[in-house]
Amino acid sequence: MSVEPRIDVATMRRALSTAEAVMALNPPESPMVEGYRLFRVSGGDVAWLDLPANTGAYAVFGSHPRCDVKFASGDDVCVRHLVATCCNLGDGGFGLRLMDLQTSIPFFVDDDVPRRSIVVSGPLLVRIGKHVVGGIPVGPRASSRALQVSSCGMSEPPRGLESVSAKPAVEGAAPQAQAPTEGITTSHRFARGEISHITSVRPVSHIEEMVAPRAKTGYVRLTLQSSERSAAVELPEQALDDGVLLGRADNCLDRGLRAVLSTHISRTHLLLLRDGTEVMALDLCSTNGTRHAGQKVRRVMIPAEGLALTLGPELTLIWHPQT
């Protein structure tokens, strides 16, 4: 399955113009509500969704019928492919975080660098397979916000670009070791001439490297329990900043957990994510849902004292309080 982009930047910009024209006929219900208008363009077909800021709202992109923003089924997207959520920024404003769910198909901005997770203030335009996905900030502060993008999950540093703190190479000097992608800043120009600055950070985590041998300060403990078996793992808290996936897919948290899962659990069922001081469990438009205290939920905040969630008809997820 190829991960190379299938459309060029000029096509992306035409797709943005198409999306803007269609969405202009359907403005947000209130001009005072702040957030993002998310959109997907496939050929001439446009789908969009309003995502308000500061509400905990999020959207799942994929080809599954339950997804919030749907792609047509095909080999260029996965059943549940992306999650978009509004997030709080250091300057007190809001931004948009777009996360790939550890699929085999990353997305691209306006270059050929594959990316896995980005945080943006200002407009966003990315390509994934033959589709264009984007977000336009709306609300009273939308037009005055500085454009900044933080990006992560790049498989290599951007070609022809260097860290903002890097010094010019000295002629005749030995080549330096390749710097990690974190902290590399690049500039990207979208339609209408706006420039966004992209800085690499961490992607949604590959869990196999992060399971601690025992619980201690800075770690959390999870247990999955069915009527016949159970399994528990311990994770460093910092893994939650990147996002932890639970489900039957190979890219989800394992170390014995997947052996507890039945086919009633979706391949990518739940995302555990920390935003600031809050830890959230986000149901990824799963087929059989997630429940808390008997009620079906999309999003639930996990308190420090722990809680229990029901995944599908009978599987229990226990979030233990930290000792």
Side-chain angles (χ1 to χ4, degrees):
M1 192 178 296
S2 174
V3 300
E4 292 299 320
R6 299 181 182 180
I7 53 180
D8 57 27
V9 175
T11 303
M12 291 174 65
R13 291 172 175 165
R14 288 195 296 270
L16 173 60
S17 297
T18 299
E20 289 179 321
V22 172
M23 293 187 296
L25 301 176
N26 300 271
E29 293 184 4
S30 170
M32 300 305 295
V33 174
E34 293 187 322
Y36 271 81
R37 301 210 90 182
L38 306 177
F39 61 88
R40 182 270 302 153
V41 183
S42 303
D45 179 57
V46 179
W48 72 93
L49 174 73
D50 288 331
L51 193 69
N54 302 319
T55 64
Y58 66 97
V60 181
F61 291 71
S63 61
H64 194 279
R66 290 179 178 267
C67 285
D68 302 301
V69 182
K70 288 178 276 294
F71 297 101
S73 298
D75 62 357
D76 56 344
V77 292
C78 296
V79 174
R80 296 173 182 87
H81 202 108
L82 301 170
V83 168
T85 179
C86 286
C87 58
N88 297 315
L89 301 177
D91 62 0
F94 67 91
L96 179 71
R97 183 173 184 180
L98 188 67
M99 293 171 284
D100 168 82
L101 295 176
Q102 282 297 340
T103 71
S104 60
I105 310 169
F107 54 83
F108 302 80
V109 187
D110 60 349
D111 51 27
D112 291 343
V113 178
R115 307 179 192 274
R116 293 291 183 181
S117 180
I118 59 179
V119 176
V120 57
S121 63
L124 174 67
L125 194 64
V126 304
R127 48 185 169 174
I128 172 172
K130 61 185 178 183
H131 311 278
V132 173
V133 170
I136 300 173
V138 296
R141 294 180 293 167
S143 61
S144 61
R145 291 190 57 77
L147 298 176
Q148 291 186 338
V149 182
S150 295
S151 171
C152 61
M154 294 182 287
S155 62
E156 59 182 2
R159 285 166 285 185
L161 300 168
E162 61 184 11
S163 169
V164 291
S165 60
K167 297 180 180 179
V170 177
E171 186 175 355
Q176 297 180 346
Q178 191 177 63
T181 59
E182 292 186 36
I184 294 178
T185 297
T186 64
S187 295
H188 297 261
R189 187 179 299 276
F190 295 106
R192 301 182 304 274
E194 302 105 330
I195 296 177
S196 293
H197 303 288
I198 295 182
T199 304
S200 61
V201 289
R202 288 176 56 88
V204 174
S205 303
H206 283 288
I207 301 303
E208 297 299 329
E209 303 173 355
M210 299 192 307
V211 177
R214 60 185 176 85
K216 57 184 178 181
T217 302
Y219 284 75
V220 297
R221 183 177 180 85
L222 307 176
T223 297
L224 287 181
Q225 181 175 313
S226 69
S227 59
E228 299 178 348
R229 65 186 76 177
S230 67
V233 296
E234 293 160 359
L235 306 173
E237 289 182 338
Q238 65 194 36
L240 301 170
D241 295 328
D242 308 325
V244 172
L245 287 172
L246 296 179
R248 293 185 293 111
D250 291 342
N251 55 319
C252 294
L253 176 61
D254 192 7
R255 293 301 175 99
L257 292 187
R258 270 189 258 139
V260 184
L261 306 183
S262 71
T263 55
H264 296 297
I265 303 302
S266 295
R267 290 181 56 79
T268 47
H269 194 107
L270 198 72
L271 175 66
L272 302 174
L273 185 67
R274 182 163 63 180
D275 181 13
T277 59
E278 292 186 351
V279 178
M280 301 169 291
L282 308 180
D283 181 85
L284 297 175
C285 297
S286 62
T287 301
N288 291 305
T290 299
R291 290 172 174 78
H292 178 231
Q295 300 297 315
K296 196 169 184 178
V297 295
R298 272 180 60 91
R299 174 189 183 272
V300 61
M301 188 173 68
I302 300 176
E305 60 270 22
L307 86 170
L309 298 174
T310 301
L311 311 184
E314 60 180 13
L315 184 69
T316 300
L317 165 64
I318 301 171
W319 180 284
H320 300 271
Q322 187 172 338
T323 57

